[in-house]
Amino acid sequence: LQVLLWNAATGKVDTLASLPRTDNPADRMFISPDNQFIAHNYTETAVTRIWMNGIEHTTVPYTNKLFGFSPDGTELATAVQGGIALWSPATGVNTRFLAADPDQEATAFTFHRLNRFYAAAFTNKSTGENSMALWDAATGRKLRSFLLPSSVLEDNLCFNYEGNFLACRMTNNIMATWDVRKLLNEVPSFSENLLPKVQWLSPTANTTTAGNNFDINACIESATNVLDV
């Protein structure tokens, strides 16, 4: 499998890599923002192999699903047993583990453009419950989690350009958005010494939109005049 990466500014090939062929549709491949790294998840062996500048560089084990690179290219996110693992693509070292319940399987994950938060959607394999979780990117601390009415489609979870809102598309063809600032202000564990204790079962989405054909990834690139978090 030949992979060619072109430089958008010059139109010339930046990187040429040869990857082992795979016919598994569940396998996933991502390219770092600077074209330096290619990561390919081989589902049958639960291994992610990383190429740097076209040469195979390192291997990441126990990866059930690959979610891609952070906006600055320094982190690679994968689904593993019991949560999300973040790796350094340069070294292959596990830098952080975002824990979930043992029965929860990650269906979607996203980075904050300014590296302030991580967000992931999960489905519980035992109960069938669907949930969302939000972590502080600086400390890795879970800020809150809440239930969803349906599961989130693969790759259909993102923050908007400024990072103020979190949006997802669910399997029932509903798109939901949440104001990140309200999510954090309404959870007691975020800052119990400053905020009143609130009994909170599940946050209500700011907006929900029904539709048959749209892609949530489009929300990543469009900047607005909303102030950042």
Side-chain angles (χ1 to χ4, degrees), residues 19-41:
L19 281 63
R21 180 176 175 178
T22 173
D23 296 319
N24 191 330
D27 290 353
R28 294 157 60 80
M29 182 177 70
F30 288 89
I31 300 164
S32 65
D34 61 359
N35 277 5
Q36 185 178 13
F37 296 102
I38 299 173
H40 196 292
N41 176 226

Side-chain angles (χ1 to χ4, degrees), residues 12 27-28 37 40 110 120 143 145 162 168 200 223:
K12 296 181 180 180
D27 290 353
R28 294 157 60 80
F37 296 102
H40 196 292
T110 189
L143 301 176
S145 61
E162 292 82 7
C168 73
W200 190 265

Side-chain angles (χ1 to χ4, degrees), residues 9-10 16 30 45 47 103 109 117 177 221:
T10 65
L16 172 64
F30 288 89
T45 56
V47 166
D103 288 337
F109 177 85
F117 307 108
T177 65
E221 301 300 334

Side-chain angles (χ1 to χ4, degrees), residues 99-192:
D101 292 338
D103 288 337
Q104 287 184 319
E105 184 178 54
T107 58
F109 177 85
T110 189
F111 292 95
H112 189 276
R113 185 178 66 88
L114 301 177
N115 292 328
R116 294 185 177 178
F117 307 108
Y118 307 113
F122 296 93
T123 295
N124 190 300
K125 293 181 289 185
S126 298
T127 65
E129 287 184 337
N130 302 291
S131 61
M132 188 84 74
L134 193 68
W135 292 267
D136 181 355
T139 64
R141 183 167 62 97
K142 183 183 285 187
L143 301 176
R144 73 163 307 160
S145 61
F146 53 90
L147 295 178
L148 297 174
S150 183
S151 61
V152 175
L153 290 171
E154 190 173 84
D155 296 332
N156 276 253
L157 172 67
C158 70
F159 292 97
N160 72 323
Y161 187 83
E162 292 82 7
N164 289 319
F165 293 92
L166 181 65
C168 73
R169 179 190 175 193
M170 297 181 233
T171 51
N172 57 1
N173 257 334
I174 293 293
M175 186 180 76
T177 65
W178 294 270
D179 187 321
V180 175
R181 294 160 295 188
K182 289 183 179 179
L183 284 179
L184 299 184
N185 286 337
E186 289 171 335
V187 57
S189 61
F190 178 63
S191 184
E192 288 190 354

Side-chain angles (χ1 to χ4, degrees), residues 51-68:
W51 284 257
M52 183 173 69
N53 297 325
I55 300 172
E56 187 161 4
H57 177 63
T58 189
T59 299
V60 172
Y62 313 120
T63 52
N64 301 327
K65 187 178 291 185
L66 184 62
F67 290 121

